[in-house]
Amino acid sequence: MGWLKAYDPGSYPPFAVTVDLVLLTVQQEELSALVIKRAEPPFKGRWALPGGFVRPEEDLSAAAERELTEETGLSGEMVHLEQLASYGTPDRDPRMRVVTVAYLALTPNLPVPTAGGDAAYARWSPVGELLEVPRRLAFDHHRILSDGLERARAKLEYSPLGTGFCQPEFTVAELRQVYEIVWGTPLDPRNFHRKVTGAPGFLTATGQTTTRNGGRPAQLYRRGDTSVLYPPILRREPEPFV
Amino acid sequence: MGWLKAYDPGSYPPFAVTVDLVLLTVQQEELSALVIKRAEPPFKGRWALPGGFVRPEEDLSAAAERELTEETGLSGEMVHLEQLASYGTPDRDPRMRVVTVAYLALTPNLPVPTAGGDAAYARWSPVGELLEVPRRLAFDHHRILSDGLERARAKLEYSPLGTGFCQPEFTVAELRQVYEIVWGTPLDPRNFHRKVTGAPGFLTATGQTTTRNGGRPAQLYRRGDTSVLYPPILRREPEPFV
DNA sequence: CCAAAAGTGTTCTTACTACACCCATGG
DNA sequence: CCATGGGTGTAGTAAGAACACTTTTGG
């Protein structure tokens, strides 16, 4: 009631729809997110997640991939880009009613982006610093980044997406460091090794070895072909679920 | 890069934003979803998920709760209503560009809804029938319902939300039947009993018993106060994660 | 007494933790 | 030859699966 009437074309309240990206990477022993310096009000001079309007004939996921490519040069086939959640509080943008659909991607260590030719335009910032203070980020991006972080942490348990943080070829120790940084917990190297090499389809050995981390040469692996990790790599204490 | 310029107020492409609800319940040994018969084109006469426009000053979750109350009489405090995902393919509604934010709720067995006074307006339909054929539901609601079903199944493993399908006071066997119906797998009654009574905070005993299911009297329980199930109640073979 | 459902106990197996120990390189 | 990290072996423990068995009602 009211539904059918309101659903009449031409009589609906207009919204702006954007996509925002939570792009995470691991660099210098820290988990970082890509942020953009806002050049215009509102929140002029503050950092914000990259994002932009969905175009009139564009799918949501296509808009997210386009933004990803614009900001990082990565294509949608190269990284796993997944929908995170949508945010639409009426006052989240002071200018107009905006609903944003947030996407999450875990990317390998990239060169510092300089889209727009402005060195101060975009940068990777440690997630810990960005979330330290609730209002450090523009709009409701603190919330979005928090949600993205929690999703990324959970994904590492049950999916092989942690490899997305690594170079195409990586050692078990490099992968373990990713887990340790994202979860903020030390993991037993020996048990971790057994778990990841034992999970079918997670890793495929290249046959090559490397000594780039010192010590005995380590096997190099590539990401395997599975999308599920079984058995999962579990954190000690699971976080609240909802 | 186009972003700042396009983000200028007044120059954004207008969208309609709706919320759609995946309301699931268990009745007569079947998992069912609430569907509405469409009275107007497009998809006139077809079944669709309940939903409607987000109002100009309304939060997304508030819109979902309002729709929930309109369709079922349930309030947002009574049931757990969670955001599922957003869908915005350009051609998903032939009349205009619509982005919908889907919400999921697991509800107890309710009387057949008759909102609008029309008995044919809304009903509970078995999910299996609704998903049998890809185009049985209007718009992209097949996809949305599939996603909601998969989310509900996953939720039962790690959260106590399965109790949402039960009456306020229920027996372990009644809860087990919910799991069996949602997952489509038989579960060992004895091991299930141990798991759910052993998971801290999942169930609180009322001290009452009932013989309404025949046999030896069974303890009655209420939903406990935890939001995480540890240890989880696992299905045999986990589904692909992404 | 018997059927039916509730609930407990027991055994086997899997997977995790912790940690001892050996391996292969660079310096 | 030794420091460093890579990798395997093993013992103890937590939790799941399968299933025998006891308990308590209704008829």
Side-chain angles (χ1 to χ4, degrees):
Chain A
M1 310 302 63
W3 193 79
L4 292 171
K5 181 157 166 259
Y7 210 57
D8 187 58
S11 75
Y12 61 89
F15 286 69
V17 176
T18 60
V19 293
D20 284 324
L21 301 185
V22 177
L23 302 181
L24 299 178
T25 198
V26 170
Q27 54 180 200
Q28 284 136 16
E29 324 254 313
E30 279 191 307
L31 182 65
S32 292
L34 186 70
V35 284
I36 303 279
K37 187 168 235 164
R38 287 188 55 76
E40 303 291 332
F43 301 101
K44 179 171 177 176
R46 295 268 282 282
W47 295 98
L49 298 175
F53 286 102
V54 178
R55 295 182 178 162
E57 294 302 324
E58 186 179 49
D59 199 358
L60 300 177
S61 58
E65 284 184 31
R66 176 175 52 77
E67 292 289 336
L68 174 71
T69 305
E70 286 175 11
E71 300 297 345
T72 66
L74 293 168
S75 81
E77 301 105 50
M78 295 166 62
V79 293
H80 171 81
L81 191 63
E82 78 176 46
Q83 195 183 300
L84 180 59
S86 296
Y87 303 82
T89 310
D91 59 357
R92 63 180 296 280
D93 188 315
R95 295 163 299 177
M96 57 187 159
R97 187 70 201 269
V98 181
V99 168
T100 194
V101 185
Y103 281 77
L104 171 69
L106 313 186
T107 73
N109 195 342
L110 295 170
V112 176
T114 53
D118 182 357
Y121 170 73
R123 73 170 208 212
W124 295 98
S125 289
V127 168
E129 288 175 20
L130 293 172
L131 294 179
E132 211 167 38
V133 179
R135 306 227 137 270
R136 184 155 293 169
L137 289 168
F139 304 107
D140 50 3
H141 290 183
H142 181 93
R143 188 79 217 289
I144 298 176
L145 180 56
S146 299
D147 291 351
L149 173 62
E150 188 38 46
R151 175 86 134 251
R153 283 177 166 160
K155 282 269 169 192
L156 292 205
E157 294 195 312
Y158 299 99
S159 83
L161 298 180
T163 58
F165 286 126
C166 299
Q167 303 304 318
E169 303 203 341
F170 52 88
T171 68
V172 171
E174 288 162 0
L175 181 61
R176 175 169 50 83
Q177 218 203 359
V178 162
Y179 274 77
E180 291 179 331
I181 289 169
V182 175
W183 285 348
T185 339
L187 299 171
D188 185 295
R190 299 155 294 185
N191 293 335
F192 184 84
H193 186 279
R194 229 183 325 241
K195 284 194 199 181
V196 297
T197 54
F202 188 14
L203 303 179
T204 52
T206 62
Q208 307 288 101
T209 61
T210 181
T211 57
R212 64 191 180 210
N213 304 309
R216 171 177 165 180
Q219 273 287 335
L220 279 170
Y221 292 90
R222 261 190 287 271
R223 149 180 31 215
D225 52 8
T226 190
S227 65
V228 206
L229 228 52
Y230 192 82
I233 321 281
L234 295 174
R235 290 176 277 183
R236 289 302 152 81
E237 291 296 311
E239 309 283 310
F241 196 69
V242 181
Chain B
M1 321 275 355
W3 191 80
L4 292 171
K5 181 156 166 256
Y7 208 57
D8 188 58
S11 74
Y12 61 91
F15 286 68
V17 175
T18 60
V19 292
D20 283 325
L21 301 184
V22 177
L23 302 181
L24 299 177
T25 198
V26 170
Q27 56 180 197
Q28 282 135 16
E29 324 253 313
E30 279 192 308
L31 182 65
S32 293
L34 187 69
V35 284
I36 304 279
K37 188 168 234 161
R38 287 189 54 77
E40 304 290 335
F43 300 102
K44 179 172 177 175
R46 294 269 282 283
W47 296 99
L49 298 174
F53 285 103
V54 178
R55 295 183 178 161
E57 294 301 324
E58 189 179 48
D59 199 357
L60 299 176
S61 58
E65 285 185 30
R66 175 174 53 76
E67 292 290 336
L68 174 71
T69 306
E70 284 175 12
E71 299 297 346
T72 66
L74 293 167
S75 81
E77 300 106 49
M78 294 166 64
V79 294
H80 172 82
L81 190 63
E82 77 176 48
Q83 193 181 301
L84 180 58
S86 296
Y87 304 83
T89 310
D91 59 357
R92 61 181 297 280
D93 188 315
R95 296 164 299 177
M96 57 186 159
R97 188 68 202 269
V98 182
V99 167
T100 194
V101 184
Y103 280 78
L104 171 70
L106 314 186
T107 73
N109 194 341
L110 294 170
V112 177
T114 54
D118 182 355
Y121 169 73
R123 74 169 206 212
W124 295 98
S125 289
V127 168
E129 289 176 20
L130 293 171
L131 294 179
E132 211 166 39
V133 180
R135 306 227 136 272
R136 184 155 294 167
L137 288 168
F139 305 106
D140 51 2
H141 290 183
H142 182 93
R143 186 79 216 289
I144 299 176
L145 179 57
S146 299
D147 291 350
L149 173 61
E150 188 39 46
R151 175 87 136 250
R153 283 177 166 159
K155 282 270 170 192
L156 292 204
E157 295 195 313
Y158 299 99
S159 82
L161 298 179
T163 58
F165 286 126
C166 299
Q167 302 304 318
E169 302 203 342
F170 53 88
T171 68
V172 170
E174 288 163 0
L175 181 62
R176 175 168 50 84
Q177 218 203 359
V178 162
Y179 274 77
E180 291 179 332
I181 289 169
V182 175
W183 284 349
T185 338
L187 299 171
D188 185 293
R190 300 155 294 186
N191 293 335
F192 184 84
H193 187 279
R194 231 184 322 243
K195 283 192 198 180
V196 297
T197 54
F202 188 14
L203 303 179
T204 51
T206 62
Q208 307 289 101
T209 61
T210 181
T211 58
R212 64 192 181 208
N213 302 311
R216 170 175 165 181
Q219 274 287 337
L220 279 170
Y221 293 90
R222 261 191 286 273
R223 151 183 28 219
D225 52 8
T226 190
S227 65
V228 206
L229 227 52
Y230 193 80
I233 321 282
L234 295 173
R235 290 176 278 183
R236 288 305 151 82
E237 290 297 310
E239 308 283 312
F241 195 70
V242 180

